[in-house]
Amino acid sequence: MTHLIAIGGSDAGISAALRARELDPTVDVTVVVADRYPNYSICGIPYYFSGEVQPWQSLAHRTAADLEATGMNLRLDTWATGIDVAGQRLEVRGPDGIIEQLGYDELVVGTGALPSHAGITGLDQLTADDGVHVIHSMGDTFALDTRLDERDPKTAVIVGAGYVGLEMAEAFTVRGIKVTQLQRGPEVLSTLDPELGAIVHAELDTHDVEVITRTTVTGIEKTSDGLVVRGVREDGRFARLADLVLVVVGVRPNTELLEHAGATLGAGGAVVVDEHMRTGLPHVYSAGDGTVTHHRLLGPTYLPLGTTAHKQGRVAGENALGGNARFAGSVGTQVVKVFDIVAARTGLRDHDAAAAGYQPLTVGATADDHKRYYPGSHPISFQITGDNRDGRLLGAQLVGTLGTEVAKRVDTFATALYAGLTIEQISELDLSYTPPLGSPWDAVQAATQAWSAATRS
Amino acid sequence: MTHLIAIGGSDAGISAALRARELDPTVDVTVVVADRYPNYSICGIPYYFSGEVQPWQSLAHRTAADLEATGMNLRLDTWATGIDVAGQRLEVRGPDGIIEQLGYDELVVGTGALPSHAGITGLDQLTADDGVHVIHSMGDTFALDTRLDERDPKTAVIVGAGYVGLEMAEAFTVRGIKVTQLQRGPEVLSTLDPELGAIVHAELDTHDVEVITRTTVTGIEKTSDGLVVRGVREDGRFARLADLVLVVVGVRPNTELLEHAGATLGAGGAVVVDEHMRTGLPHVYSAGDGTVTHHRLLGPTYLPLGTTAHKQGRVAGENALGGNARFAGSVGTQVVKVFDIVAARTGLRDHDAAAAGYQPLTVGATADDHKRYYPGSHPISFQITGDNRDGRLLGAQLVGTLGTEVAKRVDTFATALYAGLTIEQISELDLSYTPPLGSPWDAVQAATQAWSAATRS
């Protein structure tokens, strides 16, 4: 009987284990989980803090009992400390501190990522006990929860205005905490063009989030008055006092285990794998946020996303049983809700595309989500990027009001990118129309037609 | 200077005229419009009757002034009565009854469709003055409007439970008219599988629309008590008295003009065209609801839809100026909102696919529109049809609550059909995810994975 071990209780590890049990109910599957919270939706944590999701247990995609009902074994509070590749043994330290060697036939490593510190001094000493938080695990969640309950902070500085930073700005605001959001670049949500990021910025303004851009945080200090966040701006130094600081400036791959085992590191310092999620080490697969991502337009890159981790884990779980699945690649599709605005992107932006050797043209457009005569229509703002040489779609960005189906309109572009369609071909698509929900030429096609018109002029 | 005449003030004719003026501002464009209402959104009429759209003028996609501002000439209240193909002359009868010959270099015919009578006796005599209505033009709209104002009907029979019939059932119900909806087949919305039609049926029940299926209407009579709708059912005869009757049992192509000019009729009795929208008659194009539709999975078919008419008209307008555009084909994408339910389809259903020589397998699935832990999630019901031989997607049907982004989720399938993707490839797509609006495997992919699982078992 094959023994598969998956390391990691988040998307990649659990997906691998589920896939293996689904394909072969005789396979022996063990999942090694560093904490007590396997299969939690980390993406859902901001909604716990906003109060929209209660209790925290409902954040579990599946309970431990659900997982065990599939026939997998969970080793909770257990750290994977070393891989003996030749001997096919995994060394783990259990909850009681005892070191054990677990034999495996196949190993899937899904150790994920760690919060980045972005060179900010103070972060190596200051912790949740000081009011300085990250938000990456259920442990971080409980620590922040305790802090909010016990100290009732009135002001928070959020360092970073990416997806999680924006969601947490909303959550804190809903709770009555006055938020100052610091962003290094010229506009929030730097994964979108500033024209579209500005719409999100305006929504933050409306909800009294203080947004300060072009500010690089250099350090955090604890003083008797509270926490002081210091940084630099074009016009000089910056300092702000707050009761609580949340640092959400991205993640770095957690590769220590595989690096020591001899795996190769690549893009973004993540573990290199082939499209079958093989590390090159015999019987060892890697998947999820610690692993390079094959991007269909860029090749190997580092782009840690839950959707990708699910897919990579599933591929690894299938191949560990002798399958021949391959990860088809990401196109970098992302979406975020910020108060009543939804912002989405897929593919490449102009500068990414140019850097990768494409000859991009990016055109902005605005189109109503549905016929204006029907109540409740709202404009959607687009940025469409295509290759000037052959008209191939390279990327799309969309921002609209909640309810304008932006999240699933970006999927039309993501599907077109997967299939390698041109922008003209998107204008040919037979998309759905009814006046309350669309237009005879969908908003998506109003945008692609604007791109085509720009290439003619 | 080229003179282009477009016949028809609805989607096809206007799209052709707009495209021609867009591509070449020197071209002389005349649009011959049978009534005074060019470029009205016929799909929006039900929302005028529900009161959501007011006044009726707002149903215009563009006003006559907007159209004329593009440089096109409108000949309103003008009937095209004959085409002299060899002489390149169009005979028209103007509002004053005077017959005129208009010379053209290129002619685009977009005469559309006429309401079908489905063999119901009485429909050739009874009119709006008797309380028997169709709903196909602004004239029909005004006639029904007048009837509702002047007679204040309390009860209506709607013959037909397709897209327009369902939308009008909602509109009448909102106005306080008690609706009985008659459907020939076993379930409403016969363009969907009955499993999904049943969800729409339940929504009609909730709103006190009386739905009577398996009833073929044979005749309508005017009596002193009101209108009597008669029909047959499996269990015998059927009769129902009502203050008003609306007949919405589909359309038939309006081809008289082109037929007399020598054009060939094909699928559904519609005018045959090539992919460039050429009729085969020199300098004569046809587009819209009077024309056959190239279906990417079926070849030539008759499938009158506004989205298609826009695309065909645009192609005809471009080619009339010497272009080489082609209509890429429909995949039969449709969506309808019925009260708080949205129902969508694209591609082929099982029996359509089997009849066309595919080897279909259809699998049902249900998946939440977004993570269940986030408030407001609702299940979406799917029917997925794929070819058992090669796994190619053949069609998808979706029904969900308003707000579940069903209208734009069907577009992912429509895009996949265009690109010829397999169902496994849809499971590989990098679709967007955030907990309030999706899942790490989108609902679309939960459905395609269910199809794949069914093929393994």
Side-chain angles (χ1 to χ4, degrees):
Chain A
M1 192 165 66
T2 302
H3 183 212
L4 168 69
I5 298 183
I7 306 173
S10 197
D11 300 336
I14 296 292
S15 293
L18 286 169
R19 183 61 170 164
R21 289 294 305 169
E22 179 190 2
L23 292 175
D24 183 357
T26 72
V27 71
D28 189 15
V29 174
T30 301
V31 186
V32 174
V33 183
D35 61 18
R36 302 201 59 74
Y37 311 103
N39 211 200
Y40 269 70
S41 175
I42 300 305
C43 300
I45 293 171
Y47 310 105
Y48 171 66
F49 286 109
S50 69
E52 290 161 292
V53 176
Q54 294 289 341
W56 60 265
Q57 286 86 349
S58 56
L59 285 173
H61 289 300
R62 296 167 195 79
T63 64
D66 292 339
L67 294 170
E68 283 165 346
T70 70
M72 67 179 70
N73 307 301
L74 298 174
R75 301 277 301 237
L76 303 181
D77 282 328
T78 299
W79 276 83
T81 50
I83 303 169
D84 172 4
V85 174
Q88 290 179 246
R89 278 193 303 262
L90 178 70
E91 184 185 89
V92 298
R93 190 180 66 238
D96 44 12
I98 293 171
I99 303 284
E100 238 184 303
Q101 307 288 332
L102 307 177
Y104 65 77
D105 297 301
E106 306 292 337
L107 181 68
V108 178
V109 180
T111 45
L114 298 168
S116 175
H117 283 180
I120 300 170
T121 61
L123 280 182
D124 42 350
Q125 288 93 40
L126 296 170
T127 69
D129 290 339
D130 306 298
V132 178
H133 296 265
V134 294
I135 194 88
H136 192 71
S137 67
M138 291 309 293
D140 298 335
T141 302
F142 301 138
L144 177 56
D145 209 22
T146 301
R147 188 82 187 181
L148 295 174
D149 279 353
E150 292 181 356
R151 303 292 184 104
D152 193 21
K154 306 294 184 217
T155 58
V157 165
I158 298 181
V159 183
Y163 294 84
V164 182
L166 294 170
E167 289 165 347
M168 288 302 295
E170 177 178 344
F172 282 167
T173 300
V174 167
R175 292 177 77 111
I177 300 170
K178 172 68 186 168
V179 173
T180 298
Q181 188 142 34
L182 303 180
Q183 170 77 334
R184 192 165 52 179
E187 191 46 276
V188 300
L189 201 54
S190 63
T191 51
L192 262 63
D193 287 350
E195 295 89 324
L196 299 192
I199 302 172
V200 177
H201 189 147
E203 181 74 359
L204 294 165
D205 289 346
T206 300
H207 291 273
D208 287 328
V209 175
E210 181 190 29
V211 176
I212 304 178
T213 58
R214 300 180 193 275
T215 302
T216 301
V217 173
T218 52
I220 303 170
E221 280 168 54
K222 191 177 178 181
T223 72
S224 54
D225 295 329
L227 295 158
V228 178
V229 178
R230 295 189 191 282
V232 290
R233 300 172 50 90
E234 280 173 9
D235 55 359
R237 296 189 175 279
F238 170 89
R240 179 61 59 108
L241 189 70
D243 298 336
L244 186 142
V245 176
L246 178 67
V247 180
V248 276
V249 290
V251 297
R252 57 196 163 90
N254 179 17
T255 58
E256 195 182 348
L257 195 66
L258 276 174
E259 201 180 349
H260 284 174
T264 307
L265 302 190
V271 172
V272 172
V273 291
D274 64 13
E275 63 182 0
H276 303 284
M277 310 312 296
R278 293 194 203 98
T279 60
L281 302 173
H283 307 288
V284 180
Y285 298 80
S286 180
D289 289 0
T291 314
V292 298
T293 303
H294 172 70
H295 190 295
R296 291 178 73 89
L297 295 167
L298 294 176
T301 183
Y302 182 58
L303 190 54
L305 286 171
T307 43
T308 297
H310 275 86
K311 292 186 179 77
Q312 290 184 334
R314 192 170 197 257
V315 167
E318 182 163 341
N319 291 341
L321 301 195
N324 191 33
R326 59 183 192 92
F327 173 58
S330 165
V331 290
T333 311
Q334 293 176 278
V335 64
V336 65
K337 181 187 94 65
V338 184
F339 295 102
D340 294 322
I341 291 286
V342 177
R345 63 160 285 174
T346 189
L348 308 181
R349 288 164 59 200
D350 207 86
H351 60 276
D352 306 320
Y358 297 98
Q359 212 167 92
L361 171 71
T362 298
V363 174
T366 301
D368 292 330
D369 72 307
H370 65 253
K371 288 302 299 179
R372 197 173 290 181
Y373 61 66
Y374 189 87
S377 89
H378 292 283
I380 301 172
S381 298
F382 293 85
Q383 294 278 101
I384 304 291
T385 302
D387 196 304
N388 234 331
R389 295 167 300 187
D390 55 9
R392 180 180 171 189
L393 176 71
L394 295 174
Q397 306 163 56
L398 296 74
V399 177
T401 308
L402 188 63
T404 56
E405 308 206 358
V406 158
K408 297 299 118 184
R409 277 188 164 101
V410 79
D411 287 354
T412 295
F413 290 106
T415 306
L417 283 171
Y418 177 98
L421 300 191
T422 65
I423 288 177
E424 286 282 352
Q425 288 179 308
I426 297 172
S427 297
E428 291 180 351
L429 293 174
D430 185 14
L431 303 180
S432 79
Y433 164 53
T434 184
L437 297 165
S439 300
W441 296 103
D442 191 72
V444 158
Q445 295 173 312
T448 54
Q449 287 181 2
W451 191 92
S452 296
T455 59
R456 276 199 307 277
S457 58
Chain B
M1 191 165 69
T2 303
H3 183 212
L4 169 69
I5 298 182
I7 307 172
S10 196
D11 299 336
I14 296 293
S15 293
L18 287 170
R19 183 60 170 164
R21 289 292 307 167
E22 178 190 3
L23 291 176
D24 183 358
T26 73
V27 71
D28 189 15
V29 174
T30 301
V31 185
V32 174
V33 182
D35 61 18
R36 302 199 58 73
Y37 311 103
N39 211 200
Y40 269 70
S41 175
I42 300 304
C43 299
I45 293 172
Y47 310 105
Y48 171 66
F49 287 109
S50 69
E52 290 161 291
V53 176
Q54 293 292 340
W56 60 265
Q57 286 87 347
S58 56
L59 285 174
H61 288 301
R62 295 167 195 79
T63 65
D66 292 339
L67 293 170
E68 282 165 347
T70 71
M72 67 178 70
N73 306 301
L74 298 174
R75 301 278 302 238
L76 303 182
D77 281 328
T78 299
W79 276 82
T81 50
I83 303 170
D84 171 2
V85 174
Q88 288 179 247
R89 279 193 302 263
L90 178 70
E91 184 185 89
V92 299
R93 190 179 65 237
D96 43 13
I98 294 172
I99 301 285
E100 236 183 305
Q101 306 289 331
L102 307 178
Y104 65 78
D105 296 303
E106 306 291 338
L107 181 68
V108 177
V109 181
T111 44
L114 298 168
S116 174
H117 285 180
I120 300 170
T121 61
L123 280 183
D124 40 351
Q125 288 93 39
L126 296 169
T127 70
D129 290 338
D130 306 297
V132 177
H133 296 266
V134 294
I135 195 88
H136 192 72
S137 67
M138 291 310 293
D140 299 334
T141 303
F142 300 138
L144 177 56
D145 209 22
T146 301
R147 188 84 187 179
L148 294 174
D149 279 354
E150 293 180 357
R151 303 292 183 104
D152 193 21
K154 305 294 184 217
T155 58
V157 165
I158 298 180
V159 183
Y163 294 84
V164 182
L166 294 169
E167 289 165 348
M168 288 301 297
E170 177 178 344
F172 282 167
T173 300
V174 166
R175 292 178 77 111
I177 300 170
K178 171 67 185 168
V179 173
T180 299
Q181 187 141 35
L182 303 181
Q183 169 78 333
R184 192 166 51 178
E187 190 48 274
V188 300
L189 203 54
S190 63
T191 50
L192 263 64
D193 287 350
E195 295 89 323
L196 299 192
I199 301 171
V200 177
H201 189 147
E203 182 74 359
L204 293 164
D205 289 345
T206 300
H207 292 273
D208 287 328
V209 175
E210 181 190 29
V211 176
I212 303 179
T213 58
R214 300 180 194 276
T215 301
T216 301
V217 173
T218 52
I220 304 170
E221 279 168 54
K222 191 175 177 181
T223 72
S224 55
D225 295 331
L227 294 158
V228 177
V229 178
R230 296 190 190 280
V232 291
R233 300 172 48 91
E234 279 173 10
D235 54 1
R237 297 188 176 281
F238 171 87
R240 178 61 61 107
L241 190 70
D243 298 334
L244 187 142
V245 176
L246 178 66
V247 179
V248 276
V249 291
V251 297
R252 57 197 163 89
N254 179 18
T255 58
E256 196 181 348
L257 195 65
L258 276 174
E259 201 179 350
H260 284 175
T264 307
L265 302 190
V271 173
V272 172
V273 290
D274 65 12
E275 63 182 0
H276 302 285
M277 309 313 296
R278 293 195 203 97
T279 59
L281 303 174
H283 307 288
V284 181
Y285 298 80
S286 180
D289 289 0
T291 314
V292 298
T293 303
H294 172 70
H295 190 295
R296 293 178 71 89
L297 296 167
L298 294 176
T301 183
Y302 182 58
L303 190 55
L305 287 171
T307 44
T308 296
H310 275 84
K311 292 187 179 78
Q312 290 184 336
R314 190 170 199 258
V315 167
E318 182 164 340
N319 292 341
L321 300 196
N324 190 33
R326 58 183 193 91
F327 173 57
S330 164
V331 291
T333 311
Q334 293 176 278
V335 65
V336 64
K337 181 187 94 64
V338 184
F339 295 102
D340 294 321
I341 290 287
V342 178
R345 62 159 285 175
T346 189
L348 307 181
R349 289 162 59 199
D350 206 87
H351 60 277
D352 306 320
Y358 296 98
Q359 214 168 90
L361 170 72
T362 297
V363 174
T366 302
D368 293 330
D369 72 307
H370 64 253
K371 287 302 299 178
R372 196 173 292 182
Y373 59 68
Y374 189 87
S377 89
H378 292 283
I380 301 172
S381 298
F382 293 85
Q383 295 277 101
I384 304 292
T385 302
D387 196 303
N388 233 333
R389 295 167 299 186
D390 54 9
R392 180 180 171 188
L393 176 70
L394 295 174
Q397 305 163 57
L398 296 72
V399 177
T401 308
L402 188 64
T404 56
E405 307 205 359
V406 157
K408 296 299 119 185
R409 277 188 165 101
V410 80
D411 286 353
T412 295
F413 290 107
T415 307
L417 282 171
Y418 176 98
L421 301 190
T422 65
I423 289 178
E424 286 281 353
Q425 287 179 307
I426 298 172
S427 297
E428 291 180 351
L429 293 173
D430 184 13
L431 303 179
S432 80
Y433 164 53
T434 183
L437 297 165
S439 300
W441 297 103
D442 190 73
V444 157
Q445 296 173 313
T448 54
Q449 288 181 2
W451 191 92
S452 296
T455 58
R456 277 198 308 276
S457 59

